[in-house]
Amino acid sequence: MVSRHAPQRGVSYLALLLAVAITNGALAAGAAVWSQWQRRERETQLLWAGDQIRRAIVAYAQAGAERDAGFPRSLQDLLLDPRTPAQRRFLRQIYEDPMTRNSEWGLLRDAQGRLIGVYSRASGVPAKQARFPALYAEFEGARSYAGWRFSAVALPAAPSRPSASPDTRPASAAERVAPATQRSAPGRAAPGSVADPARESLQPPAAEPTSDEPQVPTEAEPEADAALARP
């Protein structure tokens, strides 16, 4: 004898399957949105951390202009200037790369092997492709995070594909601080010259102390084109 409730149980089962499928689809869509949001947040942190390191390299080069002009040999030199017996710091700490979540940055070096900048070693194409501060307008359209080069000197245009070598050595980079009058365009230093932090440094986060600034007299920075707020 066939139960009268068998068709109803079949319909209920199909309805349950449909509800589970809809729920799974909604969860998958939400996870994708959450992942994209997290990625953009990490890119915002990357812009801030990279800019802090760039500013410290510029300050290091300018602080030694009187007797030992040049860029640091490593990121550690920014934590404690080896050129003077006095304790002089340009960076409070070596910030982690938010994309790789470690402090192993890709290093940009000049022809003499001195450190002039950093970039992220993360793989993938950046989610942010436009609306960068004027200082980093060249980041627009980058096909990899290696194209986000936080350099103390002007560099040639980044290639469409990142180099296999972790260190990039621009042939035109110099070791001396160039006068501000030698800039080739507003907001960017001429190739081989050190950028002027008074004009090119981004506004530090309002909630963060400005202890990363070098302990040497500098001119007050004017308002930057766009502030990068530390997450």
Side-chain angles (χ1 to χ4, degrees), residues 119-137:
Y119 63 89
S120 175
R121 305 176 79 171
S123 59
V125 179
K128 184 177 178 61
Q129 291 290 309
R131 301 178 66 86
F132 289 93
L135 178 62
Y136 298 125

Side-chain angles (χ1 to χ4, degrees), residues 3 18 32 38 70 83 103 105 146 158 187 192 213 221:
S3 174
L18 179 60
Q38 284 188 317
R83 301 171 299 181
S103 57
W105 292 86
E213 292 292 335
E221 297 184 4

Side-chain angles (χ1 to χ4, degrees), residues 10 49 53 76 161-162 169 214:
I53 296 175
Q76 295 296 330
R161 295 183 180 179
R169 300 174 180 267

Side-chain angles (χ1 to χ4, degrees), residues 101-151:
R101 298 182 180 180
N102 61 55
S103 57
E104 297 297 325
W105 292 86
L107 304 179
L108 300 169
R109 297 186 181 275
D110 63 8
Q112 288 73 35
R114 298 274 186 165
L115 180 66
I116 61 173
V118 297
Y119 63 89
S120 175
R121 305 176 79 171
S123 59
V125 179
K128 184 177 178 61
Q129 291 290 309
R131 301 178 66 86
F132 289 93
L135 178 62
Y136 298 125
E138 64 184 26
F139 291 4
E140 294 186 4
R143 306 309 301 167
S144 71
Y145 288 105
W148 290 16
R149 301 182 297 176
F150 301 92
S151 176

